[in-house]
Amino acid sequence: MAALLELDNLHFSFPGFDTPALRGASLRLEAGQRVALLGRNGAGKSTLLLHANGILRPAAGEVRVAGAPLVYTRRGLLAARRQVGLVFQSPDDQLFSASVAQDISFGPLNLGLDSSEARRRVAAAAELCDVSDLLDRPTHALSGGQKTRVALAGVLAMEPLLILADEVTAGLDPWMRHQVFAIFNRLVAQGTTVLLATHDVAVAQHWADLAVIMDAGQIVVAAPPAQVLATPELRRLLGPSEPWSEAYDTTAQ
Ligand SMILES: Nc1ncnc2c1ncn2[C@@H]1O[C@H](COP(=O)(O)OP(=O)(O)OP(=O)(O)O)[C@@H](O)[C@H]1O
Ligand SMILES: [Mg+2]
C-alpha cells in the first residue's frame, strides 16, 4: 500500500536567499503514526511542513499524498489539503476570517460540504479544542493560545488523514496541552497520523512512535525514539533536555 505521505528528495530556497532551506529532504509517513519532528531553530521543519500540503512548491523533488504526486492546481491543492492538514507555527499566518466561527468553517465549506455537515464539524471541532464560547469573537481579539486552539479546530474540522502540527503545544497552558495530546491520541487510535514539530525531546521520548530529526535542510534520521535517543551523535543534535514532568501527560485518551 502507498504511504500516506512521501516527501522525496525535496530541495527549496526562499526567493532571494542563497542558502537552501531544504537540501534533499526525504520522509515517508504511514497511517496511524505519532511523529515528533525535532531539530534546531532554522533546521527546516516549518519549511518541510509547508511543502507537505503544497503551500510551498519544491524546486526539485516530489511530494506524494497516498501515492499520488501533488498537483499544484487549485483542484489538486484542495485534494491534498483534504488529506493533509497543517496547523501553522504562527496562528496569525493561518487565521484570516472575521470571526472564529467563519475561520473554523472555511475549510469544510471549501470542501463543498453542505452547510449542515459543515456546521456539525465546526461545532465538534470547537468543542474538542475548547473554543465553543469564542465562536462569535473576532480572530484578532484572542490570546495566543486561543488562536492556536482555533487554528487547530479549523484543521480538525477538515477531518484530514494526516495532521501536521507545527509547535502547537509550545504556547498552550498545561490543561490545554493535556487536552491536545488527548485529541491527538484519539485521532491516532482511529488511524490518523499526527506529526508534531517540537523542541521538547520528552515529547519524542514519551509520546511519539517515530522520531524525525532535521538538520540544515535534511532529514538526519526517522526511527523509533528509543533508538534515536540512545545514539549519542543524534542526542547531541537535540541539545540539553528538560526533566519530564508528571503534569505533562501525553498518554491520556
Ligand atoms: N520566509 C522566509 N524567507 C526567507 N528565509 C526563510 C523564511 N522562512 C524560513 N527561512 C529560512 O529557512 C531555513 C529553515 O527555516 P524553518 O522556518 O523551516 O526552520 P525551523 O526548523 O522551522 O525553525 P524553528 O525551530 O525556529 O521554527 C532557515 O534558514 C530560515 O532562516
Ligand atoms: Mg518552525
Side-chain angles (χ1 to χ4, degrees):
M1 213 175 90
L4 185 51
L5 175 74
E6 286 164 287
L7 305 174
D8 189 1
N9 200 21
L10 303 184
H11 289 263
F12 178 80
S13 298
F14 284 94
F17 290 82
D18 294 336
T19 315
L22 296 182
R23 297 187 303 130
S26 297
L27 181 66
R28 182 186 165 96
L29 300 180
E30 311 284 349
Q33 286 183 310
R34 303 159 202 247
V35 186
L37 176 60
L38 304 151
R40 304 193 63 166
N41 291 139
K45 303 179 297 295
S46 297
T47 308
L48 187 81
L49 300 184
L50 289 166
H51 279 76
N53 74 350
I55 293 171
L56 294 179
R57 185 174 185 166
E62 190 171 74
V63 176
R64 289 186 290 276
V65 179
L70 209 158
V71 178
Y72 296 85
T73 57
R74 209 183 112 76
R75 245 178 103 149
L77 292 171
L78 191 61
R81 286 170 198 164
R82 191 179 193 125
Q83 308 194 65
V84 181
L86 172 61
V87 188
F88 287 49
Q89 184 164 5
S90 331
D92 285 329
D93 292 340
Q94 184 139 20
L95 306 176
F96 56 87
S97 304
S99 78
V100 168
Q102 279 172 354
D103 223 291
I104 302 175
S105 49
F106 177 81
L109 289 174
N110 215 23
L111 288 181
L113 297 174
D114 66 54
S115 59
S116 69
E117 170 64 8
R119 264 202 307 277
R120 183 196 68 75
R121 288 205 193 179
V122 172
E127 180 71 32
L128 267 179
C129 297
D130 199 17
V131 293
S132 304
D133 56 341
L134 302 175
L135 287 172
D136 296 328
R137 293 271 284 273
T139 47
H140 64 82
L142 299 173
S143 77
Q146 288 170 336
K147 284 181 186 170
T148 298
R149 282 147 50 177
V150 170
L152 178 62
V155 167
L156 294 181
M158 300 278 282
E159 300 184 356
L161 297 172
L162 170 58
I163 294 177
L164 307 170
D166 200 347
E167 298 196 27
V168 295
T169 50
L172 297 177
D173 67 42
W175 293 273
M176 198 57 216
R177 206 159 55 204
H178 177 97
Q179 170 81 358
V180 165
F181 279 111
I183 294 168
F184 287 171
N185 292 344
R186 224 174 300 156
L187 291 168
V188 169
Q190 294 162 15
T192 306
T193 291
V194 177
L195 178 151
L196 179 64
T198 178
H199 292 290
D200 192 340
V201 175
V203 167
Q205 197 170 358
H206 295 268
W207 174 76
D209 49 38
L210 183 71
V212 179
I213 303 184
M214 281 196 86
D215 189 42
Q218 292 178 322
I219 306 282
V220 180
V221 67
Q227 189 182 323
V228 169
L229 297 172
T231 310
E233 310 87 80
L234 297 174
R235 197 71 188 69
R236 262 197 299 280
L237 272 177
L238 303 175
S241 64
E242 283 158 22
W244 178 253
S245 147
E246 285 300 315
Y248 203 7
D249 184 357
T250 52
T251 57
Q253 293 254 353

